[in-house]
Amino acid sequence: FHPCSSYPHPPHPLPFACLTDKAIFVARWLNIREGKSSRSNDDDSDDESLHFSNDDDEGEDHREKRKQRKEKEKVRCSHLLVKHRDSRRPSSWRQQKITISEEKAVETVLEFRAMILKSGYKMGDTFAELASKYSDCSSARAGGDLGFFTRKKMQKPFEDASFALQIGELSQAVRTDSGVHIILRTG
């Protein structure tokens, strides 16, 4: 029997004796998230930190789920980078000193994007060909392919754009400190 009722009660998924305990826990959790203390000023308070353990945390299922989540957080992309004179390193394998403006770099990237989209089902081949010839990144040798990467491995605007794309989708122009990119998500 459950202490708060007169009928048999199934085991609760969290260690609460009753819904009142759960409500108190939730209220404290919300206060902590808002930066308010969950402790009372009374010295005889029985408020203690709650530590939860779940048998699945140590289990094979949990490790497998965590591994699957991490795999989902990886993307594979190719990109074509056009640097400009205000890029953090305005030089590349193609050109010793880059002098074009950021606006010209955006215009160039959008022209490449239009060419890639016009190629239809050969989009990946066209992208690789253009990246090999015109990208200011050393990944040009691999057709712009960056391989798989996880979050926090790229500059934030690049990361955000990459993770927002679906496989086979091409980004708009993406500005970073390195220059202006178009990104093709491949995996």
Side-chain angles (χ1 to χ4, degrees), residues 75 149-152 154-165 171 174 176 183 185:
V75 293
F149 58 90
T150 58
R151 291 193 178 275
K152 300 187 185 217
M154 303 291 179
Q155 293 176 49
K156 186 72 169 142
F158 191 96
E159 173 191 306
D160 291 344
S162 298
F163 280 85
L165 294 171
S171 74
V174 177
T176 68
I183 305 166
R185 181 159 173 198

Side-chain angles (χ1 to χ4, degrees), residues 11 19 24-25 35 51 55-57 94-95 100 106 120 125 132 148 161 164 167 171 184:
L19 291 178
I24 291 168
F25 171 84
H51 298 285
D55 294 339
D56 290 336
D57 284 355
R94 293 181 339 106
Q95 197 173 355
I100 67 168
V106 170
D125 294 336
S132 294
F148 284 96
I167 294 174
S171 74
L184 176 64

Side-chain angles (χ1 to χ4, degrees), residues 16 19-39 47 50:
F16 303 117
L19 291 178
T20 304
D21 288 348
K22 183 176 181 180
I24 291 168
F25 171 84
V26 170
R28 286 182 183 148
W29 181 78
L30 290 172
N31 283 338
I32 290 168
R33 288 192 64 211
E34 293 173 5
K36 299 174 187 169
S37 174
S38 66
R39 301 273 181 192
D47 244 4
L50 298 175

